[in-house]
Amino acid sequence: MTVRVLVVDDSATMRSLIAASLRTDPEIEVLGFANDPIEAREAIKRLNPDVITLDVEMPHMNGLDFLEKIMRLRPMPVVMVSTLTQAGAEATISALQLGAVDCIGKPAGGVSAAEAFVDLPEKVKAAARSQVRPYAGPIAAPEPPPKPEYVPEDVVVAIGSSTGGVEALMTLLSAFPANCPPTVITQHMPAAFTKSFADRLNRVCAANVAEAHDGARLKPGYVWLAPGGSHHLEVVHHSAPSCRLVASEPANGHRPSVDVLFHSVARLKRAAVGVILTGMGKDGAEGLLAMRREGAHTLGQDEASCVVYGMPRAAYERGAVEKELPLHRISNAILNLCAAREPQRSA
């Protein structure tokens, strides 16, 4: 199936670079271009594209306002193309919350367009296969949940996610109590965006959420998010688990990699819960299987609630997933499994 794409950007140079990247894939057709949201609105009506690539900063109406209108009135797959700046990162996280499927950074700092946009065709094709839902409004800050009698400090929770993961993690973590079990997360995301995402999560969650750093201790009430870019996140030390950032080659095409995180938790041989959420590809499947073989409980997001049912499918088909659940049920399932502290070994 050919994926038909509309490119929306106020820079003629950027439109040309994005189109050149997309045209390297014979399964993608660039239908046309729009300079701003006004032109884009008419082009969407006329061309009926499968996917839009959308810039954040444009004249007449910024990309976020336009995206919100799209996702409320005519939901469709959108991939954001953003500057790799603090402002660009904040705007991109907002776009992903509004319902954009994925994001990619513009060339910057000596990075060529070919390098910056190398993943764009795959992101666009994944977006075309995604389940897009109407924007239902912002996630409200949670009411302080009742403090559980048991604080599961001796259980490690490891979560992996990719495409669609911003919305999924917002939903999941906003239901965690302030003294949640020690939690580590790998979300596939450009390096410039992970700190902004951690800060955004911290604002909507009762627990403390921050970008992981070398030596960060795993303890109740803390959630550590793998920084994007040059390192993988691992958990080390059985008796006093802590974060370790490892500079090594990408795994499954990703750095940080969900598989690397899950394998490290499996090696701890501690009580653990592994969770794999929405995303394209298979990163995390083998690591989650290793966790299950070491006695961890493992959960996968079900197909109906995933934006892209790729990573959870791969894990389920390998026998790595003990139970599939819709997104809205996963937080409680994690907390209940941690409180039970009864490791389950697979047959």
Side-chain angles (χ1 to χ4, degrees), residues 84 102-105 123 188-194 228-229:
L84 295 172
D102 213 334
C103 63
I104 197 162
K123 288 178 181 285
H188 297 156
M189 183 175 280
F193 302 156
T194 47

Side-chain angles (χ1 to χ4, degrees), residues 244-314:
R244 180 171 68 184
L245 301 183
V246 181
S248 58
E249 292 301 307
N252 299 318
H254 298 284
R255 189 172 55 201
S257 161
V258 180
D259 260 335
V260 171
L261 175 63
F262 285 172
H263 276 297
S264 73
V265 175
R267 289 193 296 271
L268 286 180
K269 300 185 183 298
R270 289 176 61 99
V273 177
V275 182
I276 194 154
L277 302 176
T278 175
M280 67 176 178
K282 61 179 182 179
D283 189 29
E286 294 300 330
L288 194 67
L289 181 59
M291 285 184 64
R292 190 174 186 194
R293 285 172 172 165
E294 289 298 334
H297 288 287
T298 58
L299 303 172
Q301 187 175 349
D302 71 357
E303 183 172 7
S305 65
C306 280
V307 172
V308 177
Y309 184 60
M311 288 162 49
R313 181 199 295 274

Side-chain angles (χ1 to χ4, degrees), residues 87-337:
E90 286 288 337
T92 300
I93 301 303
S94 295
L96 293 168
Q97 278 188 263
L98 287 169
V101 175
D102 213 334
C103 63
I104 197 162
K106 291 184 176 181
V111 177
S112 69
E115 292 172 304
F117 293 147
V118 66
D119 294 328
L120 182 57
E122 283 303 316
K123 288 178 181 285
V124 162
K125 289 195 293 185
R129 298 189 298 268
S130 67
Q131 300 189 70
V132 178
R133 299 172 181 86
Y135 177 60
I139 296 173
E143 292 291 325
K147 186 173 181 178
E149 295 180 4
Y150 166 67
V151 180
E153 59 186 286
D154 59 344
V155 182
V156 173
V157 175
I159 303 171
S161 53
S162 186
T163 312
V166 166
E167 180 185 6
L169 289 168
M170 286 276 186
T171 300
L172 191 157
L173 294 179
S174 65
F176 267 18
N179 62 337
C180 70
T183 301
V184 283
I185 300 170
T186 288
Q187 157 73 31
H188 297 156
M189 183 175 280
F193 302 156
T194 47
K195 185 179 186 307
S196 291
F197 183 38
D199 291 343
R200 185 74 60 94
L201 286 168
N202 193 50
R203 291 197 291 271
V204 303
C205 298
N208 298 289
V209 185
E211 198 174 44
H213 59 86
D214 225 28
R217 288 289 302 275
L218 271 64
K219 52 187 179 180
Y222 283 81
V223 178
W224 299 109
L225 178 70
S230 59
H231 292 77
H232 295 290
L233 173 62
E234 294 185 345
V235 180
V236 294
H237 307 311
H238 171 86
S239 58
S242 60
C243 297
R244 180 171 68 184
L245 301 183
V246 181
S248 58
E249 292 301 307
N252 299 318
H254 298 284
R255 189 172 55 201
S257 161
V258 180
D259 260 335
V260 171
L261 175 63
F262 285 172
H263 276 297
S264 73
V265 175
R267 289 193 296 271
L268 286 180
K269 300 185 183 298
R270 289 176 61 99
V273 177
V275 182
I276 194 154
L277 302 176
T278 175
M280 67 176 178
K282 61 179 182 179
D283 189 29
E286 294 300 330
L288 194 67
L289 181 59
M291 285 184 64
R292 190 174 186 194
R293 285 172 172 165
E294 289 298 334
H297 288 287
T298 58
L299 303 172
Q301 187 175 349
D302 71 357
E303 183 172 7
S305 65
C306 280
V307 172
V308 177
Y309 184 60
M311 288 162 49
R313 181 199 295 274
Y316 181 80
E317 290 176 348
R318 283 164 174 75
V321 174
E322 180 183 345
K323 182 181 294 185
E324 283 194 322
L325 293 170
L327 178 63
H328 71 275
R329 292 180 53 197
I330 292 178
S331 294
N332 280 342
I334 292 170
L335 298 174
N336 289 336
L337 289 170

